Coordinates of all heavy atoms in Angstrom, one line a residue:
Chain A
P25 N 2.2 11.1 5.7 CA 0.9 11.2 6.3 C 0.2 12.5 5.9 O -1.0 12.6 5.8 CB 1.3 11.2 7.8 CG 2.7 11.5 7.9 CD 3.3 11.0 6.6
R66 N 0.2 19.1 -5.3 CA 0.2 18.5 -6.6 C 0.0 16.9 -6.5 O -0.7 16.3 -7.3 CB 1.6 18.7 -7.3 CG 1.7 18.7 -8.7 CD 2.7 19.7 -9.1 NE 2.1 20.7 -10.0 CZ 1.9 20.4 -11.2 NH1 2.3 19.2 -11.7 NH2 1.3 21.2 -12.0
R104 N -21.5 -2.6 -11.1 CA -22.4 -3.7 -11.1 C -21.6 -5.1 -11.2 O -21.8 -6.0 -10.5 CB -23.4 -3.6 -12.2 CG -24.8 -4.2 -11.8 CD -25.9 -3.7 -12.7 NE -25.5 -3.2 -13.9 CZ -25.9 -2.0 -14.4 NH1 -26.8 -1.3 -13.8 NH2 -25.5 -1.6 -15.6
F122 N -20.2 -12.5 9.8 CA -20.4 -11.5 8.7 C -21.8 -10.9 8.9 O -22.0 -9.6 8.7 CB -20.3 -12.1 7.3 CG -18.9 -12.5 7.0 CD1 -17.9 -12.4 7.9 CD2 -18.7 -13.1 5.7 CE1 -16.6 -12.8 7.5 CE2 -17.4 -13.4 5.3 CZ -16.3 -13.3 6.3
E133 N -27.7 2.6 9.7 CA -28.2 3.3 8.5 C -29.7 3.7 8.7 O -30.1 4.8 8.5 CB -28.1 2.3 7.4 CG -28.0 3.0 6.0 CD -27.9 1.9 4.9 OE1 -27.3 0.9 5.1 OE2 -28.4 2.2 3.8
G220 N -29.1 -1.8 -10.1 CA -30.0 -1.2 -11.2 C -30.9 -0.1 -10.6 O -31.0 0.9 -11.2
R225 N -32.3 5.5 -9.8 CA -32.6 6.7 -8.9 C -31.6 7.8 -9.1 O -32.0 9.0 -9.1 CB -32.6 6.2 -7.5 CG -33.8 5.4 -7.0 CD -33.8 5.3 -5.5 NE -32.9 4.3 -5.0 CZ -33.2 3.1 -4.8 NH1 -34.4 2.6 -5.0 NH2 -32.3 2.2 -4.3
T255 N -19.1 27.8 -25.8 CA -18.3 26.6 -25.5 C -18.2 26.4 -24.0 O -18.3 25.3 -23.5 CB -16.9 26.8 -26.0 OG1 -16.4 28.1 -25.8 CG2 -17.0 26.6 -27.5
K256 N -17.8 27.5 -23.2 CA -17.5 27.3 -21.8 C -18.5 28.0 -20.9 O -18.2 29.1 -20.4 CB -16.1 27.8 -21.5 CG -15.0 26.9 -22.0 CD -14.9 25.6 -21.1 CE -13.7 24.8 -21.5 NZ -13.6 23.6 -20.7

Side-chain angles (χ1 to χ4, degrees):
Chain A
R66 202 147 240 280
R104 210 161 23 226
F122 289 5
E133 205 181 326
R225 282 195 285 267
T255 48
K256 285 287 185 180

